[in-house]
């Protein structure tokens, strides 16, 4: 549909993947080397700048592969959720996926008996095939990074600086996927259009006391009950720091936009001072 085509071109423009003539920019050409969604490609390239490539490669592989969480049989939902909590990360679902992948790799590397990996996955209500596919996707992405001579930073997962870098890399590509909890009960209103969504049941925030106000999400699914999948908490200040101004100015009016505008106005004098110092 023409509307879909225009929206796609607009999104590529926001991601700086197009030049003024509508052709692929230098950044867009590099992004197109990866068999990923443009937003994910942009986040992966941004991770080179923020030195969290190893972690971003894992996230990219895990969200590209099918969901690693299995639908628990009736009556075992709480057991499954209890198993998944072992991998839960306070920074959100993206880091939780890194924990799951690292645990799977550890189980694969140290088999105590034949079929141990499959049993480990069953015990934790995880899909062995999805995790194996994520492993293959990650290896393919590493090969592409090496072929086009992009730097791959050393793993540093867990440090405060690394977690901040991951969120910056994610925001570089997913600034269009931001939502705010408008009433404190998990009803998230998306910035791009006035659509309300709830957390997906596989989210580490689902059925917890602590529901973040501002989140970045990987995708919005109408078929799964208007839910947002793979979400991580972000701060309005971090969003204001990384969002392209021309994208922000095109957002429809909303209370969330007003809140963010105040944050941007507050940051503006600080940014001007930094420029003067440079």
């Amino acid at each position: 549909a023409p509307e879909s085509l225009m929206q796609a071109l607009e999104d590529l423009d926001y991601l700086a993947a197009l030049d003024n003539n509508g052709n692929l920019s230098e950044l867009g050409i590099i992004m197109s080397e990866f068999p990923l969604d443009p937003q994910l490609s942009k986040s992966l390239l941004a991770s080179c700048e923020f030195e969290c490539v190893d972690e971003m490669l894992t996230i990219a592989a895990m969200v590209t592969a099918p969901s690693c969480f299995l639908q628990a049989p009736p009556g075992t939902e709480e057991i499954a959720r209890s198993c998944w909590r072992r991998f839960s990360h306070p920074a959100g679902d993206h880091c939780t996926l890194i924990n799951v992948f690292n645990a799977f790799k550890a189980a694969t590397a140290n088999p105590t008996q034949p079929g141990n990996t499959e049993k480990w996955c069953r015990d934790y209500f995880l899909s062995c095939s999805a995790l194996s596919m994520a492993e293959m996707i990650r290896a393919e992405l590493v090969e592409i990074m090496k072929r086009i001579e992009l730097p791959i930073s050393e793993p540093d997962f867990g440090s405060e600086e690394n977690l901040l870098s991951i969120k910056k890399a994610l925001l570089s590509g997913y600034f269009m996927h931001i939502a705010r909890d408008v009433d404190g009960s998990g009803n998230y209103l998306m910035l791009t259009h006035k659509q309300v969504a709830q957390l997906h049941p596989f989210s580490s925030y689902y059925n917890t006391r602590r529901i973040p106000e501002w989140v970045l999400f990987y995708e919005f699914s109408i078929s799964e009950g208007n839910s947002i999948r793979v979400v991580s908490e972000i701060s309005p200040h971090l969003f204001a720091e990384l969002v392209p101004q021309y994208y922000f100015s095109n957002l429809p009016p909303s209370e969330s936009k007003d809140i963010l505008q105040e944050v941007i106005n507050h940051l503006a004098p600080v940014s001007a001072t930094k420029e003067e110092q440079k």
Side-chain angles (χ1 to χ4, degrees):
E3 296 84 3
S4 300
L5 182 61
M6 290 306 296
Q7 184 62 58
L9 287 169
E10 192 174 68
D11 289 351
L12 286 174
D13 190 41
Y14 287 142
L15 291 167
L18 301 178
D19 62 19
N20 292 335
N21 297 320
N23 299 313
L24 282 178
S25 63
E26 287 185 25
L27 178 65
I29 291 169
I30 301 172
M31 285 168 59
S32 70
E33 291 285 337
F34 295 93
L36 302 170
D37 291 338
Q39 290 165 306
L40 198 49
S41 293
K42 179 68 180 289
S43 289
L44 190 52
L45 291 180
S47 71
C48 297
E49 177 188 348
F50 298 117
E51 297 184 354
C52 56
V53 178
D54 186 84
E55 293 77 17
M56 199 63 223
L57 282 166
T58 300
I59 291 171
M62 288 291 280
V63 297
T64 303
S67 174
C68 64
F69 300 107
L70 291 174
Q71 196 71 46
T76 63
E77 292 90 351
E78 195 47 52
I79 299 171
R81 199 163 298 286
S82 176
C83 289
W84 296 338
R85 282 194 199 105
R86 173 178 173 178
F87 311 110
S88 184
H89 195 288
D93 295 343
H94 294 86
C95 290
T96 296
L97 289 178
I98 295 177
N99 279 341
V100 173
F101 184 81
N102 289 345
F104 172 74
K105 288 283 286 180
T108 307
N110 298 302
T112 54
Q113 59 188 31
N116 179 68
T117 307
E118 288 83 353
K119 181 182 183 304
W120 180 87
C121 288
R122 283 197 305 273
D123 289 346
Y124 286 99
F125 295 85
L126 298 171
S127 168
C128 192
S129 61
L131 287 164
S132 297
M133 186 178 289
E135 195 172 16
M136 288 189 288
I137 293 170
R138 192 184 189 284
E140 184 184 346
L141 294 176
V142 169
E143 286 305 310
I144 295 171
M145 295 281 287
K146 289 177 179 176
R147 176 170 58 79
I148 58 180
E149 298 180 350
L150 290 173
I152 301 178
S153 50
E154 290 296 313
D156 189 29
F157 184 56
S159 71
E160 198 169 322
E161 185 181 355
N162 179 256
L163 294 175
L164 180 61
S165 294
I166 291 171
K167 292 194 176 182
K168 284 182 176 181
L170 285 168
L171 269 168
S172 297
Y174 286 92
F175 53 83
M176 291 179 268
H177 284 193
I178 302 298
R180 172 176 162 259
D181 181 10
V182 290
D183 57 10
S185 64
N187 288 314
Y188 285 94
L189 190 67
M190 287 176 274
L191 281 183
T192 43
H193 43 73
K194 295 180 179 179
Q195 179 87 37
V196 177
Q198 278 73 41
L199 295 171
H200 191 277
F202 289 161
S203 172
S204 57
Y205 293 121
Y206 190 78
N207 274 353
T208 57
R209 293 179 183 177
R210 186 179 154 275
I211 298 175
E213 182 181 0
W214 294 88
V215 296
L216 172 151
F217 60 92
Y218 170 63
E219 66 180 0
F220 168 62
S221 174
I222 296 175
S223 61
E224 295 184 274
N226 280 15
S227 62
I228 46 178
R229 284 189 63 242
V230 192
V231 303
S232 288
E233 183 175 15
I234 59 149
S235 71
H237 284 79
L238 200 59
F239 173 80
E241 182 185 324
L242 292 166
V243 65
Q245 183 54 47
Y246 57 100
Y247 165 74
F248 183 79
S249 60
N250 287 335
L251 283 174
S254 67
E255 183 187 6
S256 298
K257 185 179 180 180
D258 293 341
I259 293 169
L260 290 168
Q261 186 63 62
E262 286 183 25
V263 174
I264 290 171
N265 293 342
H266 179 71
L267 288 175
V270 178
S271 300
T273 306
K274 284 182 180 177
E275 285 300 317
E276 285 171 15
Q277 287 173 348
K278 283 181 185 176

